[in-house]
């Protein structure tokens, strides 16, 4: 929804959703424009009460209050130029842990996460000639977060900025894009000793080309060079070759290089609530670098006059060198420090997507193989909490009055950090939506079979003093969720019924 631009016809969407898990969400979207000016406004509010379906006295869903507002203003000085400015603000307050502690009735374990986000967006797009255009983009993002758990208070502010200019030109056989960008990031921790503060600046330049070699072959090439203040320069070529048959068969082979500079905010640090995590040491760390290749095939044909079939098959291989790790410190007992992996992380896999269509029915099938090996550990184990096998099926029936979808998803076994395997599981869901001239009514049955991790193994264990230990999460914790909603369209958007509510 936040990416929508205003149409000549004004539009207003209102949505209200409630769940049996004690959650309520309301959304509003409005857009309008005239010859020179346009605007969109998206707002959302959510209230969630703490929810404990497994009865262990700890919340599986936290008590949460969230408010978001995203207004945008568009200016059209001419047919060839568009300027738009946007502001995005979000406030989020979450409390989880022991149910009585959330209510303030005891001193049990309580975790509170308060975050405030404010960001600006600006884009200027102008058509210079019939074959060339210029674009300027800028965003400034402010993020303030406070994490409160027993005996610890983590607070910090982060400001990121991004600016890009690009020039595009095209001819009959080839398209070019030339551009440059500036990215800055500054994190300021609100504590007495500011040893974990971070500042990073990256300046980059890039050029991309798409060339039609002939009627069947298209070559895409690109080169990006980034200069970082503390981590050096990175030259990142990429290329892909696309083959299009005269029928319904296409294939693409591609590859390229990438990088990521070390950053305090990793999944491992988040799992520790940043407790006893040492600062990024710019003298002893280097940036991660990656190398990737992919090959995909796409083919479709009509089985009969009314039954169509298509299949997309993807293979990929990615290698990460000098991956950023967080381990116990050898020199500071009780602390955790970042280091670079001594060997590669290899991720290879395949993804298959199949689609059948018959009149108002569609059937989507998918399978994903993800084999991620950590070569820097003995035995090259699989990456923890990453299922090697995933599969899914979605059956859709959609016409002007109804939209019905039934989905099934399988998640295979996952390696846990203690070396054991998790339970595999199957999730099912059902969506039923009725379309009216004024909007939609729908019911969504998520996780119909009520699969949740507490049915396989506890998500929290307590010692004799009542101090909890939270186990790693590999499956849903909230179980079955029934939600019912109404989408009301007082005016505008009359031709879009049956396509669900808008994503934000």
């Amino acid at each position: 929804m936040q990416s929508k631009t205003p149409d000549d016809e004004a539009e207003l969407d209102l949505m209200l959703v409630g769940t049996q898990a004690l959650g309520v969400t309301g959304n509003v979207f409005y857009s309008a424009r005239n010859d020179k000016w346009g605007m969109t406004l998206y707002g959302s509010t959510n209230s969630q009460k703490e929810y404990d379906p497994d009865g262990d006295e700890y919340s599986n869903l936290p008590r949460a209050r969230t408010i978001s507002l995203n207004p945008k203003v568009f200016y059209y000085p001419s047919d060839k130029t568009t300027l738009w400015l946007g502001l995005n603000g979000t406030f989020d307050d979450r409390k989880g842990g022991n149910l009585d502690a959330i209510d303030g009735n005891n001193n049990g374990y309580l975790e509170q996460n308060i975050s405030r986000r404010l960001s600006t967006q600006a884009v200027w797009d102008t058509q210079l000639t019939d074959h060339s255009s210029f674009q300027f983009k800028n965003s400034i993002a402010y993020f303030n977060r406070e994490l409160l758990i027993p005996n610890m208070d983590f607070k910090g502010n982060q400001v990121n900025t991004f600016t890009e200019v690009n020039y595009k030109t095209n001819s009959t056989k080839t398209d070019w894009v030339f551009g440059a960008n500036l990215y800055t990031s500054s994190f300021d921790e609100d504590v007495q000793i500011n040893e974990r503060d971070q500042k990073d600046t990256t300046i980059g330049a890039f050029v991309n080309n798409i060339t039609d070699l002939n009627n069947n072959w298209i070559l895409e090439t690109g080169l990006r060079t980034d200069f970082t203040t503390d981590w050096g320069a990175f030259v990142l070529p990429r290329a892909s070759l696309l083959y299009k048959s005269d029928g319904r068969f296409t294939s693409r082979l591609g590859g390229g290089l990438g990088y990521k500079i070390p950053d305090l905010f990793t999944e491992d640090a988040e799992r520790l609530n940043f407790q006893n995590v040492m600062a990024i040491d710019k003298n002893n760390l280097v940036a991660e670098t990656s190398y990737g290749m992919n090959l995909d095939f796409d083919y479709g044909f009509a089985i009969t006059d009314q039954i169509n079939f298509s299949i997309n098959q993807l293979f990929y291989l990615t290698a990460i060198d000098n991956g950023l790790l967080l381990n116990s410190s050898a020199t500071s007992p009780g602390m955790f420090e970042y280091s670079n992996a001594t060997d590669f992380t290899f991720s290879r896999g395949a993804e298959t997507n199949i689609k059948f269509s018959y009149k108002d029915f569609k059937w989507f099938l998918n399978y994903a193989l993800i084999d991620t090996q950590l070569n820097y550990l003995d035995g090259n184990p699989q990456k923890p909490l990453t299922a090697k096998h995933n599969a899914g099926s979605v059956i859709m029936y959609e016409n002007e009055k109804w939209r019905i979808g039934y989905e099934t998803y399988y998640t295979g076994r996952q390696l846990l950090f203690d070396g054991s395997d998790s339970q595999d599981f199957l999730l099912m869901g059902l969506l039923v939506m009725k379309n009216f001239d004024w909007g939609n009514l729908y019911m969504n049955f998520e996780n119909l079979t009520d699969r949740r991790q507490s049915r396989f193994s506890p998500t929290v264990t307590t010692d004799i003093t009542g101090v909890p230990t939270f186990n790693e999460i590999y499956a849903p914790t909230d179980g079955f969720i029934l939600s019912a909603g109404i989408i009301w369209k007082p005016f505008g958007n009359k031709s879009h019924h049956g396509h669900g509510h808008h994503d934000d």
Side-chain angles (χ1 to χ4, degrees):
M1 176 60 74
Q2 292 186 18
S3 61
K4 285 196 68 174
T5 57
D7 295 324
D8 291 334
E9 181 186 5
E11 178 183 341
L12 177 63
D13 288 9
L14 302 168
M15 184 173 76
L16 184 65
V17 184
T19 75
Q20 113 287 352
L22 311 175
V24 178
T25 300
N27 295 332
V28 58
F29 176 79
Y30 174 75
S31 73
R33 74 163 284 183
N34 56 29
D35 289 343
K36 294 292 185 184
W37 294 91
M39 71 160 292
T40 62
L41 174 65
Y42 174 78
S44 176
T45 181
N46 169 261
S47 176
Q48 172 68 53
K49 188 163 174 55
E50 60 272 18
Y51 181 58
D52 176 27
D54 48 25
D56 62 3
E57 296 300 310
Y58 281 84
S59 61
N60 293 42
L61 290 175
R63 179 184 295 183
R65 304 288 184 271
T66 306
I67 298 175
S68 295
L69 200 61
N70 180 213
K72 290 181 182 176
V73 176
F74 297 77
Y75 176 52
Y76 311 95
S78 70
D79 292 340
K80 294 184 176 181
T81 300
T82 300
L83 169 68
W84 68 262
L85 304 171
L87 186 67
N88 198 341
T90 300
F91 172 78
D92 188 59
D93 185 356
R94 297 171 182 266
K95 283 184 181 179
N98 178 267
L99 298 184
D100 286 336
I102 293 174
D103 282 331
N105 296 329
N106 69 16
N107 293 321
Y109 182 88
L110 177 67
E111 182 175 314
Q112 185 170 14
N113 216 324
I114 304 170
S115 64
R116 303 170 184 85
R117 298 176 184 268
L118 189 65
S119 62
T120 64
Q121 306 97 36
V123 175
W124 179 44
D125 228 325
T126 186
Q127 195 76 24
L128 300 175
T129 69
D130 290 344
H131 301 286
S132 63
S133 64
F134 175 81
Q135 186 182 62
F136 168 86
K137 297 190 286 189
N138 172 264
S139 67
I140 303 171
Y142 168 79
F143 179 42
N144 169 270
R145 182 181 179 188
E146 182 172 10
L147 173 61
L148 298 156
I149 63 172
N151 306 315
M152 196 207 77
D153 183 3
F154 172 81
K155 288 184 186 178
N157 303 300
Q158 186 159 9
V159 178
N160 296 337
T161 73
F162 175 78
T163 304
E164 179 187 303
V165 293
N166 64 68
Y167 171 76
K168 300 176 184 176
T169 180
N170 63 77
S171 62
T172 306
K173 292 287 189 181
T174 187
D175 298 346
W176 288 93
V177 181
F178 303 90
N181 60 265
L182 170 67
Y183 175 75
T184 69
S185 178
S186 175
F187 170 68
D188 180 18
E189 188 171 4
D190 189 11
V191 292
Q192 301 259 332
I193 303 171
N194 294 318
E195 59 178 15
R196 295 198 294 194
D197 289 359
Q198 287 181 195
K199 290 186 186 299
D200 294 295
T201 301
T202 301
I203 300 173
F206 59 89
V207 56
N208 297 324
N209 176 260
I210 302 175
T211 298
D212 293 347
L213 301 178
N214 55 41
N215 290 336
N216 299 111
W217 295 91
I218 298 174
L219 177 65
E220 296 185 34
T221 54
L223 179 65
R224 170 191 260 321
T225 302
D226 279 358
F227 301 90
T228 63
T229 50
D230 294 301
W231 307 100
F234 300 89
V235 179
L236 310 170
R238 66 177 181 84
S240 72
L241 185 62
L242 173 67
Y243 171 76
K244 298 191 300 181
S245 74
D246 297 330
R248 286 281 311 278
F249 175 78
T250 64
S251 180
R252 185 194 302 264
L253 173 67
L257 307 184
Y259 79 99
K260 185 178 186 299
I261 63 176
D263 183 75
L264 177 70
F265 302 101
T266 65
E267 287 185 20
D268 292 334
E270 186 77 41
R271 199 175 293 119
L272 295 168
N273 294 315
F274 305 101
Q275 203 164 12
N276 300 325
V277 174
M278 298 168 67
I280 294 291
D281 187 348
K282 295 184 176 181
N283 296 317
N284 291 322
L285 294 171
V286 297
E288 299 179 351
T289 51
S290 65
Y291 316 84
M293 289 187 65
N294 57 77
L295 172 65
D296 77 85
F297 304 94
D298 197 276
Y299 180 58
F301 65 93
I303 299 176
T304 69
D305 289 345
Q306 294 184 318
I307 301 176
N308 287 290
F309 167 85
S310 66
I311 182 170
N312 178 271
Q313 179 63 55
L314 167 70
F315 301 95
Y316 68 88
L317 173 66
T318 303
I320 298 175
D321 194 17
N322 294 310
L324 189 65
L325 307 179
L326 183 63
N327 293 311
S328 297
S329 173
T331 57
S332 303
M335 302 294 288
F336 298 88
E337 67 179 348
Y338 285 101
S339 62
N340 289 114
T342 55
D343 205 341
F344 285 96
T345 297
F346 274 114
S347 183
R348 54 201 156 201
E351 186 170 328
T352 306
N353 289 283
I354 296 173
K355 176 185 175 183
F356 291 93
S357 62
Y358 170 70
K359 294 186 177 179
D360 292 333
F361 289 92
K362 292 183 177 65
W363 186 19
F364 302 90
L365 293 164
N366 74 282
Y367 167 75
L369 170 68
I370 305 171
D371 183 13
T372 302
Q373 289 187 344
L374 308 180
N375 283 18
Y376 54 85
L377 295 178
D378 291 340
N380 303 341
Q382 174 86 356
K383 187 177 187 294
L385 300 180
T386 303
K388 199 169 186 178
H389 303 283
N390 298 270
S393 165
V394 179
I395 300 173
M396 291 291 303
Y397 171 78
E398 187 170 14
N399 61 21
E400 290 185 358
K401 292 186 176 181
W402 289 95
R403 184 184 191 192
I404 301 172
Y406 175 72
E407 55 189 13
T408 308
Y409 296 107
Y410 169 78
T411 300
R413 293 179 179 271
Q414 302 166 61
L415 179 68
L416 304 181
F417 283 96
D418 64 4
S420 64
D421 280 343
S422 75
Q423 177 72 42
D424 59 349
F425 57 90
L426 193 69
L427 299 178
M428 296 183 186
L430 176 66
L431 169 71
V432 180
M433 177 180 285
K434 180 72 167 69
N435 304 321
F436 302 92
D437 289 340
W438 50 263
N440 318 88
L441 286 175
Y442 74 90
M443 295 187 74
N444 193 15
F445 303 82
E446 296 181 55
N447 198 346
L448 268 171
T449 53
D450 199 25
R451 296 294 85 191
R452 60 174 186 265
Q453 185 168 322
S454 56
R455 295 188 181 279
F456 313 131
S457 60
T459 55
V460 58
T461 53
T462 55
D463 61 18
I464 56 173
T465 63
V467 175
T469 299
F470 296 97
N471 302 316
E472 50 207 300
I473 300 299
Y474 60 83
T477 61
D478 47 8
F480 168 68
I481 300 288
L482 167 62
S483 59
I486 178 171
I487 304 170
W488 181 35
K489 306 170 186 290
F491 51 84
N493 202 28
K494 295 299 183 186
S495 62
H496 293 81
H497 290 332
H499 293 279
H501 60 80
H502 302 280
D503 293 326
D504 60 359

